[in-house]
């Protein structure tokens, strides 16, 4: 099965000039440039999913009364395609993103895109725009699937039509000058997600609600916000759009622990992969509840030696220091710890094909043109 069986290909006759594309791939940054094409798939109550097509990347036009602009039924995903040593292209655990996209859709009362169509859209776009997949250390093509409601009208209810769109954007190394630990702000005023809310769904509204807290973190001289549970502001949940890990001990006897998925945390693919990969490297890895007091006391006693965040965009980001309204502390010596660096390299090596894939995580693309 290839993407082209399910998706009608209507490519542009005028792709970006190769020299101009190479300039963009040399310094892609993040989310600044987009490839020549996109995939769109339409859903409506009568026909279900239909009209899957690969078309030139272009603006979408919409009615001002389209439901998404008012009531926010909008979800997205994020994953990367990496150039492999043999010149091929592979994505990392894309079935997990397909399934999470379905779970997000369910929570927002939206139709679920079949996994096969999700994967076919990736296959079709990457195959068509394969020249946009950069090679070079830590460079990738970032894939952004999204879906939103398209019915026109102001009645509050689930829309009767939706559009799925897949776009792609070349991404540079997240840390071009080497891993740099971030300083985090513990947000006790705002919450990202509450029990019964949408914290588990990758929906646009979660990000809208996070921006004011992120601005507050910046005002405090911090790079990122750390979210605590909404009820008690006591249990550590996530950092910005990334999951967190705490390292206890050091050397071969180190263990890593990540906050338990309580329903208000987003279940990251990177988080899940690290639970397994850490075990492969000989660390004990588990999920547990971690309070702010546990963190501060564990840091003071030396039990907690490193902390890092993880997600598709940066893979692993070390956390160097913590600040809240009442406290401030440095983690270890404030630099990237050895367990953090080792896990980061091990995961990136699998994604980029530099190390063997023992778990069937790497999904090579069949290049069809
Ligand atoms: C996307 C996301 C993550 C990380 O998920 P990955 O699948 O590892 O990229 C973590 N937290 C939030 C809030 C997210 O939106």
């Amino acid at each position: 099965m290839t993407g082209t069986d399910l998706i009608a290909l209507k490519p542009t006759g005028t792709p970006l000039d190769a020299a101009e594309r190479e300039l963009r791939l040399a310094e892609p940054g993040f989310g600044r440039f987009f490839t020549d094409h996109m995939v769109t798939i339409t859903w409506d109550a009568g026909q279900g999913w239909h009209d899957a097509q690969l078309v030139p990347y272009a603006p979408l036009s919409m009615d001002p009364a389209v439901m998404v602009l008012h009531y926010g039924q909008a979800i997205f995903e994020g994953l990367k395609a990496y150039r492999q040593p043999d010149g091929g292209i592979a994505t990392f655990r894309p079935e997990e993103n397909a399934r999470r996209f379905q779970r997000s859709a369910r929570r927002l009362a939206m139709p679920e895109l079949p996994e096969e169509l999700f994967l076919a859209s990736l296959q079709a776009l990457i195959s068509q725009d394969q020249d946009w997949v950069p090679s070079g250390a830590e460079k990738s093509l970032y894939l952004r699937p999204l879906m939103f409601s398209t019915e026109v009208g102001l009645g509050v209810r689930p829309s009767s039509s939706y559009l799925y769109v897949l776009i792609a954007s070349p991404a540079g190394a997240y840390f071009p000058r080497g891993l740099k630990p971030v300083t985090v702000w513990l947000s006790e005023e705002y919450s990202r997600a509450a029990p019964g809310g949408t914290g588990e769904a990758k929906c646009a509204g979660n990000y809208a609600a996070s921006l004011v807290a992120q601005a507050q973190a910046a005002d405090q001289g911090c790079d990122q916000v750390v979210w605590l549970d909404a009820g008690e502001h006591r249990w550590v949940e996530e950092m910005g759009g990334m999951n967190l890990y705490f390292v206890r001990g050091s050397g071969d006897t180190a263990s890593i622990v990540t906050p338990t998925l309580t329903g208000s945390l987003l279940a990251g693919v990177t988080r899940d992969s690290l639970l397994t990969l850490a075990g492969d490297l000989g660390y004990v890895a588990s999920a547990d509840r971690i309070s702010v007091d546990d963190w501060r006391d564990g840091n003071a006693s030396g039990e907690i030696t490193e902390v890092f965040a993880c997600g598709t965009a940066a893979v692993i980001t070390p956390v160097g220091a913590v600040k809240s309204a009442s406290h401030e502390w440095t983690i270890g010596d404030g630099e990237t710890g050895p367990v953090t660096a080792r896990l980061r390299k091990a995961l990136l090596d699998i994604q980029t094909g530099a190390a063997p894939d023992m778990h069937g995580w790497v999904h090579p693309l069949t290049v069809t043109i």
Side-chain angles (χ1 to χ4, degrees):
M1 167 76 52
T2 66
T4 42
D5 295 337
L6 294 170
I7 301 193
L9 301 182
K10 303 175 183 172
T12 176
T14 54
L16 190 72
D17 173 69
E20 180 60 29
R21 185 184 64 234
E22 290 309 319
L23 268 178
R24 294 181 186 188
L25 291 182
E27 291 278 341
F30 182 77
R32 290 164 60 214
F33 303 120
F34 297 92
T35 65
D36 292 310
H37 298 91
M38 61 186 188
V39 172
T40 61
I41 313 179
T42 306
W43 186 93
D44 66 40
Q47 298 176 81
W49 291 105
H50 63 284
D51 246 357
Q53 48 184 348
L54 175 139
V55 292
Y57 185 97
L60 304 166
S61 104
M62 53 177 107
D63 191 289
V66 70
M67 281 183 172
V68 66
L69 298 181
H70 303 269
Y71 308 129
Q73 275 182 298
I75 58 171
F76 68 96
E77 269 303 323
L79 69 162
K80 285 175 167 176
Y82 289 97
R83 186 69 69 179
Q84 303 294 295
D86 65 359
I89 300 166
T91 51
F92 185 73
R93 306 186 74 188
E95 324 77 27
E96 295 298 322
N97 297 90
R99 287 181 208 134
R100 188 169 66 192
F101 198 59
Q102 293 180 331
R103 296 198 300 273
S104 298
R106 275 205 292 281
R107 179 62 184 83
L108 280 276
M110 300 166 86
E112 292 173 40
L113 183 72
E115 185 175 326
E116 184 188 42
L117 265 182
F118 183 97
L119 297 176
S121 72
L122 300 176
Q123 164 75 47
L125 185 63
I126 300 170
S127 186
Q128 181 70 44
D129 285 339
Q130 55 187 280
D131 292 342
W132 282 91
V133 182
S135 42
E138 298 200 17
K139 285 187 177 174
S140 62
L141 183 66
Y142 182 79
L143 298 151
R144 171 53 64 87
L146 64 144
M147 187 196 343
F148 57 90
S149 55
T150 55
E151 187 182 337
V152 173
L154 300 182
V156 180
R157 54 178 170 72
S159 170
S160 62
S161 62
Y162 296 86
L163 186 68
Y164 167 80
V165 184
L166 171 66
I167 55 176
S169 173
Y174 204 87
F175 297 100
R177 280 167 289 281
L179 274 185
K180 192 179 165 307
V182 293
T183 300
V184 298
W185 169 250
L186 299 185
S187 183
E188 286 156 334
E189 184 177 353
Y190 298 108
S191 304
R192 191 189 83 91
T198 57
E200 257 179 337
K202 217 166 169 72
C203 64
N206 286 348
Y207 279 75
S210 77
L211 299 176
V212 65
Q214 179 59 40
Q216 195 174 60
D219 287 345
Q220 294 291 335
C222 295
D223 304 294
Q224 288 285 341
V225 56
V226 162
W227 301 107
L228 307 175
D229 74 292
E232 301 176 76
H233 282 115
R234 176 172 171 212
W235 304 101
V236 178
E237 295 201 330
E238 300 192 58
M239 181 190 95
M242 303 175 81
N243 295 113
L244 280 167
Y245 268 98
F246 296 78
V247 182
R248 294 203 174 101
S250 59
D252 291 345
T253 58
S255 61
I256 67 168
V257 53
T258 186
T260 310
L261 301 177
T262 56
S264 50
L265 284 77
L266 198 287
V269 178
T270 319
R271 172 190 181 278
D272 182 69
S273 307
L274 286 169
L275 277 175
T276 301
L277 187 60
D280 296 347
L281 298 183
Y283 303 121
V284 175
S286 61
D288 200 358
R289 294 181 88 187
I290 297 141
S291 71
V292 173
D293 289 344
D294 293 339
W295 188 354
R296 202 176 58 244
D297 295 348
N299 194 71
S301 72
E303 186 199 349
I304 293 177
T305 48
E306 305 174 33
V307 177
F308 62 85
C310 64
T312 295
V315 187
I316 283 181
T317 301
V319 178
V322 186
K323 191 173 171 186
S324 71
S326 49
H327 295 91
E328 238 180 289
W329 65 93
T330 303
I331 298 159
D333 58 4
E335 298 301 324
T336 303
V339 177
T340 302
R342 184 165 175 230
L343 285 168
R344 187 169 197 277
K345 179 170 180 343
L347 185 54
L348 258 169
D349 280 353
I350 295 173
Q351 293 172 331
T352 57
D357 167 29
M358 316 292 278
H359 301 286
W361 286 341
V362 175
H363 186 100
L365 282 133
T366 349
V367 170
T368 51
I369 49 170

